[in-house]
Amino acid sequence: MSTTTFSKVRIQLEDFSVTDEIEAMKKVSRNIGGITTFLGTGRELSKGENISKLNFEHYPKMAEKKLEEIREKAIQDFGVIDMSIIHRIGPIEIGENIVLIVAVGEHRGETFKACEWAIAELKRTTPIWKRETTTKGEVWVQDTP
Amino acid sequence: MITLKYFASLRSIAGKEEESLDITNPITIDQLSDIIAQNSPKMAEMVREKKVLISVNQEMTADDTLIRDGDEVAFLPPFSGGAI
C-alpha cells in the first residue's frame, strides 16, 4: 500500500487487508506501544435465520463525515495517537470483512476503550444500512432506533 | 428547489430514490411532511411519528430546523446497529 494514498477513514466496495491497515497505522508514530483492532465480519446466522448474502448501503458524504467525527473524537477523548476506520459497502459474502477499526496509542488501555467506543458510535450514528438475504427473502436490518 | 433522498427500506415506502421540490420560503419538517403526504401518505406518517431520522445537508435535524431553497433533505431509516 502506498502511504501517499492512505486515508484513515474510508468507505469502499473492495475488501481490505487487516495486516496492511495495521502496518500503515504503525507508521503514524514511533511512540505507539499498543494497538487494538475491531474486525466485523459477515455472520451466517442472524436471529435464527440463515443468511446467504449481505448487502450494505450508505449515505455518501454523510457517512464519511460521521466516521471522521468518530476518529477525531476518539483521539480527543481517549488520548489515542490515531485511529483508522474502514467500512465496506455493496455485496458481502458470509465470512468476509465488513468493518475494521484500528486504534493506536502509547499504551493498551486507551486503545481498548477507544476501539470499543468507536464501533458502538459507528453503529449508532453512521448512516449505513445492512440488507440480509435469507430463505424468507430480503430484509433491511434496523436494530437501533 | 430542494432535493429529497430516501435510503434503504424507505425507498420502497416512498416509491422513489430521490425527488425535487420547489419551495419559495423556508419550511419546517412538519410542513415538508404535509407536502410529502400528497404522494406518499405512509412516508409522511413515519416522519410525523419520528420513525425516520432526517438530515439536512448531511446534518441531523432538530424540531425547529428550517429547510431552505437548495437544501438536500435525506430520510434515513434507523441504522443497522447490531448486538454487542
Side-chain angles (χ1 to χ4, degrees):
Chain A
M1 179 187 294
S2 162
T3 51
T4 54
T5 58
F6 176 59
S7 168
K8 290 169 189 158
V9 165
R10 306 198 306 274
I11 294 179
Q12 61 188 44
L13 274 166
E14 63 272 19
D15 196 8
F16 48 79
S17 157
V18 176
T19 307
D20 285 355
E21 299 301 334
I22 292 172
E23 287 303 318
M25 288 302 282
K26 278 165 79 176
K27 290 180 183 139
V28 167
S29 167
R30 288 174 57 81
N31 223 16
I32 293 168
I35 300 175
T36 298
T37 63
F38 171 79
L39 175 65
T41 55
R43 187 183 56 241
E44 189 173 46
L45 201 64
S46 177
K47 295 173 185 167
E49 292 290 332
N50 265 310
I51 297 163
S52 57
K53 205 169 66 179
L54 297 163
N55 207 302
F56 285 82
E57 174 182 329
H58 76 307
Y59 180 6
K61 288 194 288 187
M62 185 175 177
E64 284 87 346
K65 195 164 137 186
K66 287 288 170 194
L67 294 187
E68 186 54 42
E69 284 172 12
I70 291 168
R71 176 178 167 269
E72 286 170 10
K73 201 160 191 307
I75 294 167
Q76 192 181 336
D77 291 359
F78 294 89
V80 290
I81 293 172
D82 211 335
M83 174 177 276
S84 63
I85 310 175
I86 299 133
H87 204 300
R88 288 180 66 202
I89 50 163
I92 289 180
E93 301 294 329
I94 303 305
E96 282 190 356
N97 296 332
I98 300 171
V99 56
L100 177 70
I101 296 178
V102 182
V104 298
E106 289 182 27
H107 304 283
R108 66 182 184 279
E110 62 266 29
T111 66
F112 276 120
K113 287 176 191 156
C115 198
E116 182 167 28
W117 171 82
I119 186 61
E121 193 69 0
L122 182 157
K123 286 170 178 283
R124 193 179 70 83
T125 65
T126 309
I128 296 177
W129 301 273
K130 177 168 66 176
R131 195 173 69 220
E132 295 175 342
T133 305
T134 71
T135 48
K136 290 180 182 169
E138 293 191 344
V139 61
W140 287 102
V141 180
Q142 297 180 355
D143 287 340
T144 309
Chain B
M1 192 169 72
I2 59 171
T3 305
L4 308 182
K5 287 173 172 276
Y6 303 94
F7 284 93
S9 57
L10 300 182
R11 261 197 309 275
S12 56
I13 292 167
K16 62 196 86 172
E17 189 169 340
E18 191 174 315
E19 65 183 316
S20 298
L21 286 179
D22 279 319
I23 59 167
T24 45
N25 297 308
I27 58 170
T28 62
I29 303 287
D30 281 347
Q31 288 169 321
L32 177 63
S33 75
D34 290 341
I35 298 170
I36 293 168
Q38 293 163 20
N39 289 322
S40 180
K42 190 173 177 201
M43 187 71 220
E45 187 186 319
M46 289 177 79
V47 170
R48 286 195 203 99
E49 292 176 358
K50 297 188 190 301
K51 287 182 177 168
V52 300
L53 304 167
I54 300 171
S55 68
V56 173
N57 302 328
Q58 289 96 47
E59 293 290 342
M60 300 310 292
T61 55
D63 287 343
D64 59 353
T65 298
L66 282 177
I67 299 158
R68 296 181 166 81
D69 190 34
D71 282 351
E72 178 178 287
V73 182
F75 297 92
L76 316 170
F79 308 141
S80 287
I84 296 170

